[in-house]
C-alpha cells in the first residue's frame, strides 16, 4: 500500500515538510476543456461576449489561480512560480459543438512540485470561460481536467539527495 504523506502518526491531516528536499527545476502541464455550442464558439472567436475578451480574461484568471493555489488547497505549499503559460486550441465536434482545449504549463525552482498549480490554473480557466458565457447558454460542459506531465524532483538531473 502507498504511504500517504499528508497524514501524521495519528492519521490526521498535515502539511508535508519539504525543508530537507533540495531545490530542483520543476514543471507541470495540465489540461482541461470546455464544450460549447456554435453560438458561444462564434461569440468567443468574434469577441462578441458582453463581458469582454473571453480568452484573455480566462488566461489571466488561470494565471492568478496558479499563483494562489496554496490559498485554496489546504495542504499546498506557498511556492514562488517562475513561469505560467496557458494555451488554447479549438476542436470541432458533431452537432455544431466545439471544444476549447486548455493547456497550462507551470514552472518553479524549489523543493516541491507544481502539479496542483497547473491543475488549478486549468480548472479556473475553464470555469472563467463558463462564467463569461453562461448568459448565452448554460449547457457548457467542463472537463476532463488532468495532469499531462510533470518534471523535476527525484527524476531531475540536478537532484541531490539531502
Amino acid at each position: 500500500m502507498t504511504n500517504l504523506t499528508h497524514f501524521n502518526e495519528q492519521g490526521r491531516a498535515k502539511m508535508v515538510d519539504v525543508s530537507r528536499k533540495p531545490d530542483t527545476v520543476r514543471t507541470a502541464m495540465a489540461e482541461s476543456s470546455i464544450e460549447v455550442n456554435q453560438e458561444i464558439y462564434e461569440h468567443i472567436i468574434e469577441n462578441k461576449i458582453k463581458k469582454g475578451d473571453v480568452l484573455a480574461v480566462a488566461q489571466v484568471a488561470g494565471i492568478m489561480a496558479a499563483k494562489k493555489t496554496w490559498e485554496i488547497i489546504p495542504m499546498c505549499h506557498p511556492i514562488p512560480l517562475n513561469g505560467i503559460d496557458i494555451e488554447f486550441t479549438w476542436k470541432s465536434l458533431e452537432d455544431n459543438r466545439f471544444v476549447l482545449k486548455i493547456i497550462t504549463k507551470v514552472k518553479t525552482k524549489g523543493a516541491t512540485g507544481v502539479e496542483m498549480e497547473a491543475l488549478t490554473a486549468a480548472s479556473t480557466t475553464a470555469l472563467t470561460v463558463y462564467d463569461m458565457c453562461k448568459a448565452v447558454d448554460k449547457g457548457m460542459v467542463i472537463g476532463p481536467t488532468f495532469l499531462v506531465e510533470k518534471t523535476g524532483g527525484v527524476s531531475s538531473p540536478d537532484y541531490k539527495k539531502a
Side-chain angles (χ1 to χ4, degrees):
M1 183 174 186
T2 302
N3 184 17
L4 299 175
T5 59
H6 284 77
F7 293 99
N8 65 18
E9 290 177 8
Q10 296 175 332
R12 307 212 32 105
K14 74 170 186 175
M15 186 177 190
V16 174
D17 179 0
V18 297
S19 62
R20 297 182 59 92
K21 293 171 69 178
D23 288 352
T24 63
V25 173
R26 297 164 185 267
T27 66
M29 181 169 33
E31 180 179 322
S32 190
S33 61
I34 183 164
E35 183 179 328
V36 303
N37 66 21
Q38 184 168 351
E39 182 180 13
I40 290 176
Y41 167 74
E42 289 172 359
H43 277 57
I44 291 173
I45 64 169
E46 295 169 10
N47 201 17
K48 291 183 178 177
I49 295 291
K50 291 180 182 173
K51 289 185 176 184
D53 183 335
V54 173
L55 299 185
V57 173
Q59 188 166 23
V60 171
I63 291 169
M64 290 174 64
K67 292 165 56 173
K68 293 190 168 277
T69 298
W70 68 277
E71 293 180 0
I72 59 172
I73 308 293
M75 301 306 164
C76 285
H77 293 82
I79 56 176
L81 301 180
N82 298 105
I84 306 166
D85 190 19
I86 300 174
E87 299 174 0
F88 302 101
T89 57
W90 286 102
K91 179 181 176 186
S92 176
L93 303 175
E94 297 175 7
D95 301 327
N96 296 321
R97 303 285 295 171
F98 297 83
V99 172
L100 177 63
K101 181 175 160 183
I102 301 159
I103 299 287
T104 61
K105 299 173 186 174
V106 180
K107 184 176 185 178
T108 192
K109 183 173 184 181
T112 189
V114 287
E115 302 94 315
M116 293 307 300
E117 288 74 10
L119 288 161
T120 301
S123 300
T124 302
T125 301
L127 287 167
T128 303
V129 172
Y130 186 98
D131 178 57
M132 293 190 70
C133 299
K134 67 186 179 204
V136 178
D137 177 41
K138 291 178 180 55
M140 294 170 279
V141 177
I142 294 174
T145 302
F146 56 94
L147 183 68
V148 175
E149 71 176 20
K150 66 172 251 172
T151 67
V154 177
S155 61
S156 176
D158 59 342
Y159 177 79
K160 294 178 187 108
K161 192 168 185 171

